[in-house]
Amino acid sequence: MDAQNQRPCELEPYCVDQAPATVYYIPNFITASEEDYLLQQVYNSPKPKWTQLSGRRLQNWGGLPHSRGMLAEKLPDWLVKYAQKISALGPFAGQVANHVLVNEYNPGEGIMPHEDGPLYFPTVTTISLGSQTLLDFYHPIEREDEEVKVYSPQTEENRYLLSLLLEPRSLLVLQDDMYVKYLHGIRPVREDIVTEKVANLKSCNAKLGAVLKRTTRISLTIRFVPKVLKTKILLGRK
Ligand SMILES: O=C(O)CCC(=O)C(=O)O
Ligand SMILES: [Fe+2]
């Protein structure tokens, strides 16, 4: 850790300078056999572990984050290993990630632009499995007067800032403005076009202009939830 600006040094070589602060992108963070293993673990999880949302399915591991505190559950061993491996790079200021969200997207599925909110330490780390995708970033909706609204409406298109190409086996780390200011989302499309707006292109295998067909993608969103409840009694349960 850099004592002066609290930046995790080991990630520094992977900083994406073409994006606002701060994005780290590590291609091939895991091997192909680790990827197979993780996919197997995700798909071997008991069926009730899945929650179906419109446009994606998810598994929640580590407990449900809540404003009063997360009632923490032990992460399974197959996730602990990666929570530790990522945390050792320093993105959670010395803490170890205790929460993992698994998202599954079929081609044509995505997630609306959103902020991850205040329950998490302001860092999100993501391992991608199975397919690449573009992750898109947007300026937040600004308060505006009526005149501005009429002449330059804030559409998703004109709030669009840039994209990151997330390849299978890569690790993405988002902090600072890229976490707290800009919104992120995945468009519900079957293929992505690589434009000059892809800020991490020089760390990727893809070429400008490429059309990348999506297959099913699993993402592991690995975070640290600082506010944890020690017992159920605090939630008023027996
Ligand atoms: O699948 C991804 O990479 C993004 C997921 C995400 O933004 C979230 O779960 O909050
Ligand atoms: Fe998110």
Side-chain angles (χ1 to χ4, degrees):
M1 180 72 68
D2 182 324
Q4 256 182 348
N5 60 13
Q6 297 287 301
R7 273 196 162 191
C9 292
E10 293 191 47
L11 289 169
E12 219 45 64
Y14 301 100
C15 187
V16 177
D17 298 324
Q18 290 77 7
T22 304
V23 178
Y24 302 103
Y25 178 77
I26 308 185
N28 294 308
F29 178 69
I30 59 168
T31 64
S33 54
E34 287 181 289
E35 179 186 26
D36 287 346
Y37 169 76
L38 285 169
L39 284 169
Q40 236 174 57
Q41 296 301 316
V42 167
Y43 287 111
N44 281 344
S45 299
K47 220 165 170 204
K49 204 60 205 168
W50 286 106
T51 303
Q52 181 71 52
L53 302 179
S54 70
R56 66 192 161 107
R57 285 202 294 174
L58 65 82
Q59 295 176 3
N60 184 82
W61 295 96
L64 282 178
H66 188 278
S67 55
R68 280 188 283 170
M70 178 171 78
L71 189 56
E73 291 164 9
K74 221 175 141 293
L75 286 176
D77 290 344
W78 58 276
L79 287 173
V80 167
K81 177 178 168 186
Y82 293 93
Q84 289 176 345
K85 186 175 170 183
I86 292 170
S87 304
L89 301 173
F92 305 109
Q95 305 289 334
V96 178
N98 57 0
H99 187 260
V100 181
L101 210 58
V102 176
N103 279 297
E104 179 196 57
Y105 307 87
N106 291 311
E109 297 183 330
I111 184 169
M112 297 256 293
H114 66 279
E115 296 172 71
D116 283 0
L119 301 181
Y120 304 97
F121 187 82
T123 295
V124 58
T125 72
T126 308
I127 296 178
S128 294
L129 309 171
S131 174
Q132 82 295 323
T133 193
L134 283 188
L135 182 67
D136 304 314
F137 289 81
Y138 300 88
H139 290 279
I141 296 175
E142 310 250 334
R143 289 183 49 192
E144 58 191 4
D145 56 43
E146 284 305 312
E147 201 175 336
V148 174
K149 247 186 218 163
V150 171
Y151 293 107
S152 59
Q154 297 181 40
T155 59
E156 199 163 284
E157 201 180 327
N158 59 30
R159 285 170 48 224
Y160 170 65
L161 174 70
L162 56 80
S163 300
L164 297 170
L165 178 58
L166 308 185
E167 298 167 301
R169 298 177 294 286
S170 67
L171 177 72
L172 172 72
V173 179
L174 296 179
Q175 298 183 313
D176 305 309
D177 276 0
M178 287 295 273
Y179 184 96
V180 296
K181 178 174 172 189
Y182 299 105
L183 280 69
H184 57 274
I186 296 173
R187 289 186 311 134
V189 296
R190 291 176 173 272
E191 54 189 35
D192 290 299
I193 299 170
V194 178
T195 69
E196 64 289 340
K197 290 285 214 176
V198 176
N200 64 331
L201 190 55
K202 71 172 195 253
S203 311
C204 297
N205 251 323
K207 297 258 181 314
L208 198 62
V211 178
L212 306 175
K213 290 228 178 317
R214 290 190 194 166
T215 56
T216 297
R217 172 173 175 267
I218 292 280
S219 65
L220 309 181
T221 301
I222 300 171
R223 292 185 270 215
F224 174 59
V225 178
K227 207 167 160 191
V228 163
L229 294 174
K230 294 282 184 275
T231 71
K232 294 185 183 189
I233 295 159
L234 289 171
L235 275 180
R237 294 189 200 152
K238 287 217 178 112

